Amino acid sequence: MKKIINYIFVLAMLLGFAACQPSSYRKVYPSETPTLNGTLAEQSIVYGQDSITLNVSVGAKQTPLSTLTVKIIVGQTMIKQEVLRTKDMNYSSTLRYAVPFVAGLEEGAEVQAFLTAENVEGDKAQLIVGGCFGHRPAIESMFVMPPTIEYTVLGKGKQMTMENGTYVAYGLGYPKSIKCLFATVGTKFGRIDWSKPVFGMIDGEMSVITEEQFNAGIASAVTLANDNLESIDTIRFNPLTFEYSFGGKVLSPVSKVDINTDLEENPTYMSSSVAKKYRGAKIFFDKDSEVEITGCADLSKAYNLDFMEYLGGNKVKFLGDKAMYYVSYNIAGDYLVVEPLYNLSKPDVMYLCGVGMGQPTNAPEATSGWGFDSPDQNFVGRAIEPNVYQFTVYMKNDAENADHPGFGSVNFKFFHQHGWGGEETALDYTQDCCAGMKINSSNEESNVGNWWSASDPLFEGVYRITLDMNKNVTKYEKVR
């Protein structure tokens, strides 16, 4: 009985203590909708040149204010949003917002401020303030202009004509890759009048840009490029949506290539120190098409051993996919190097780079340094099956490496892209070597994962290398 009385006493004490505690840790205010008023001072503005002035006030009698959200909308486009702190019972301010000239702003669209006032209890008041109308800056003409007067590809520029709300330029004959700006006013000297709207790129988006932004590298020219075109003949630009397009005659795959007329001296896509050894150009091939090649000394030895099959006489069958390729003719070695465009990567192609190897020309030279500056330094593999790549290269293992006993002079690795990206490691692969050669997987510091020849046996010749990424096997066959 005494225990029961004690329990009742303790329980009563606890209940009494709880009753003395505050029911809430903050003051709860009554529900109240804030009063919200606003006006726009301007009735008319020009996009990109003017600002709007918003006079706004918020009030309350019982419940303190919290925030004011302001959204500036032009037609269907929101150009600004911000949240302002509004303390106590009253807030008033004069706010100014620039209205930029951006895509989608139509002539005469209403400029509106969407206001939302909220108090500390979450009660809201909303108001739409309008009565101001926006106007597009005068655009009575449009030019395709060179970004600088030193850029001579476009000459002095080209005036466009208006067709159904879109500016168009026809019959251009520009190269298949150009850079340009769309300018409201161009001059006969190839200069841009920056006092009028000029359209270029900012952060990957077409925008109205300033000369200061362009010179500072904040804005850039528009790049138009399509390797499947012979030339760019038509350009379109919509000044309302800021959208552009271009087109031209679709390039047809070649059926004939003459070394002396179709390939240029000192090709610009390789380093200048090596380019003098080559003639080269971009050539568009179709898969399994027959191509007549003239101008080399002996096509039966000059054809590319990975991307071509020799058919006899002056003809080869092209084995690669339908696409544009770099074709580089090694003049002294009388050999055609075929490379997919350098922006391609695994799974379309794989690259081999290292030392002790070279192109399988009639006068092969082994590389002495790693690099991607020319066909002399790296070798591209054709995908013969999904994740299986074929390379045919000259390899010369002529001495033991003095700094690495047990290793020879051939040392290389496979890469997913042109320029070092995404390399494979030989530690994951089995080496299936042919007679008279041996390739090991290196585990040496700074050479971990390299494919590296053993110091014995020494070997030299042209080898077909198959990198099988499905079975993790590297297979070697001697071609000659």
Side-chain angles (χ1 to χ4, degrees), residues 187-237:
T187 73
K188 62 182 180 180
F189 302 108
R191 291 182 172 88
I192 293 170
D193 182 352
W194 288 94
S195 68
K196 306 297 182 180
V198 177
F199 300 84
M201 305 300 291
I202 296 179
D203 294 332
E205 298 288 337
M206 175 70 87
S207 309
V208 176
I209 66 173
T210 66
E211 185 175 15
E212 291 73 22
Q213 289 173 320
F214 186 76
N215 291 336
I218 298 171
S220 62
V222 180
T223 298
L224 309 180
N226 187 340
D227 279 326
N228 291 327
L229 299 179
E230 286 187 5
S231 62
I232 293 176
D233 300 321
T234 303
I235 299 176
R236 299 177 183 273
F237 176 67

Side-chain angles (χ1 to χ4, degrees), residues 267-286:
T268 58
Y269 53 85
M270 61 180 72
S271 66
S272 57
S273 61
V274 177
K276 59 186 178 181
K277 297 170 50 179
Y278 286 90
R279 299 183 70 95
K282 289 182 181 179
I283 304 290
F284 191 51
F285 290 102
D286 198 358

Side-chain angles (χ1 to χ4, degrees), residues 421-435:
E423 63 186 50
E424 292 292 303
T425 173
L427 300 178
D428 293 338
Y429 286 80
T430 300
Q431 309 302 318
D432 183 3
C433 298
C434 58

Side-chain angles (χ1 to χ4, degrees), residues 268-313:
T268 58
Y269 53 85
M270 61 180 72
S271 66
S272 57
S273 61
V274 177
K276 59 186 178 181
K277 297 170 50 179
Y278 286 90
R279 299 183 70 95
K282 289 182 181 179
I283 304 290
F284 191 51
F285 290 102
D286 198 358
K287 185 176 178 62
D288 295 329
S289 62
E290 291 189 8
V291 182
E292 181 181 349
I293 298 179
T294 55
C296 53
D298 184 355
L299 184 60
S300 67
K301 297 179 181 178
Y303 76 97
N304 187 273
L305 296 174
D306 291 315
F307 285 87
M308 296 174 175
E309 176 186 335
Y310 182 59
L311 299 178

Side-chain angles (χ1 to χ4, degrees), residues 222-447:
V222 180
T223 298
L224 309 180
N226 187 340
D227 279 326
N228 291 327
L229 299 179
E230 286 187 5
S231 62
I232 293 176
D233 300 321
T234 303
I235 299 176
R236 299 177 183 273
F237 176 67
N238 187 320
L240 175 61
T241 62
F242 294 10
E243 294 175 324
Y244 62 90
S245 61
F246 64 98
K249 183 179 179 181
V250 177
L251 194 65
S252 299
V254 299
S255 59
K256 296 182 179 180
V257 175
D258 183 77
I259 302 298
N260 297 310
T261 59
D262 297 323
L263 305 186
E264 300 176 354
E265 294 181 342
N266 299 307
T268 58
Y269 53 85
M270 61 180 72
S271 66
S272 57
S273 61
V274 177
K276 59 186 178 181
K277 297 170 50 179
Y278 286 90
R279 299 183 70 95
K282 289 182 181 179
I283 304 290
F284 191 51
F285 290 102
D286 198 358
K287 185 176 178 62
D288 295 329
S289 62
E290 291 189 8
V291 182
E292 181 181 349
I293 298 179
T294 55
C296 53
D298 184 355
L299 184 60
S300 67
K301 297 179 181 178
Y303 76 97
N304 187 273
L305 296 174
D306 291 315
F307 285 87
M308 296 174 175
E309 176 186 335
Y310 182 59
L311 299 178
N314 289 328
K315 286 194 173 183
V316 298
K317 180 168 77 172
F318 191 77
L319 304 177
D321 293 332
K322 183 177 182 179
M324 185 74 68
Y325 294 81
Y326 293 113
V327 178
S328 309
Y329 176 66
N330 185 304
I331 299 171
D334 189 38
Y335 184 74
L336 288 166
V337 179
V338 176
E339 302 173 289
L341 299 189
Y342 297 151
N343 62 327
L344 294 179
S345 59
K346 179 182 178 295
D348 297 309
V349 295
M350 285 285 289
Y351 288 89
L352 186 160
C353 184
V355 295
M357 36 198 2
Q359 296 290 349
T361 69
N362 290 327
E365 298 178 9
T367 55
S368 58
W370 298 60
F372 283 88
D373 292 332
S374 77
D376 285 356
Q377 292 181 306
N378 65 93
F379 315 91
V380 64
R382 178 173 65 91
I384 57 176
E385 295 177 26
N387 292 316
V388 181
Y389 303 90
Q390 174 183 300
F391 307 77
T392 303
V393 298
Y394 166 76
M395 292 198 290
K396 185 177 183 180
N397 187 44
D398 58 356
E400 181 177 36
N401 191 303
D403 297 323
H404 303 274
F407 289 104
S409 55
V410 176
N411 185 3
F412 59 93
K413 221 168 194 178
F414 296 94
F415 296 86
H416 295 185
Q417 66 189 46
H418 190 273
W420 309 111
E423 63 186 50
E424 292 292 303
T425 173
L427 300 178
D428 293 338
Y429 286 80
T430 300
Q431 309 302 318
D432 183 3
C433 298
C434 58
M437 71 172 306
K438 187 175 182 180
I439 302 291
N440 292 324
S441 303
S442 169
N443 204 10
E444 280 202 349
E445 185 178 357
S446 77
N447 290 292

Side-chain angles (χ1 to χ4, degrees), residues 18-96:
C20 295
Q21 301 307 304
S23 59
S24 174
Y25 288 97
R26 74 169 182 84
K27 182 176 179 179
V28 177
Y29 292 92
S31 177
E32 179 188 24
T33 301
T35 60
L36 177 57
N37 295 286
T39 59
L40 290 178
E42 293 78 19
Q43 296 180 338
S44 177
I45 63 162
V46 176
Y47 308 133
Q49 300 177 21
D50 298 328
S51 299
I52 58 170
T53 306
L54 172 64
N55 297 304
V56 61
S57 63
V58 188
K61 293 181 179 180
Q62 304 179 75
T63 304
L65 303 172
S66 175
T67 60
L68 173 67
T69 300
V70 181
K71 297 180 181 179
I72 306 300
I73 310 291
V74 181
Q76 302 297 318
T77 303
M78 184 170 72
I79 62 171
K80 178 68 176 181
Q81 176 177 341
E82 69 172 339
V83 179
L84 304 171
R85 290 287 293 125
T86 54
K87 298 179 180 181
D88 302 323
M89 297 294 183
N90 291 284
Y91 171 87
S92 64
S93 183
T94 297
L95 308 171
R96 287 187 62 81

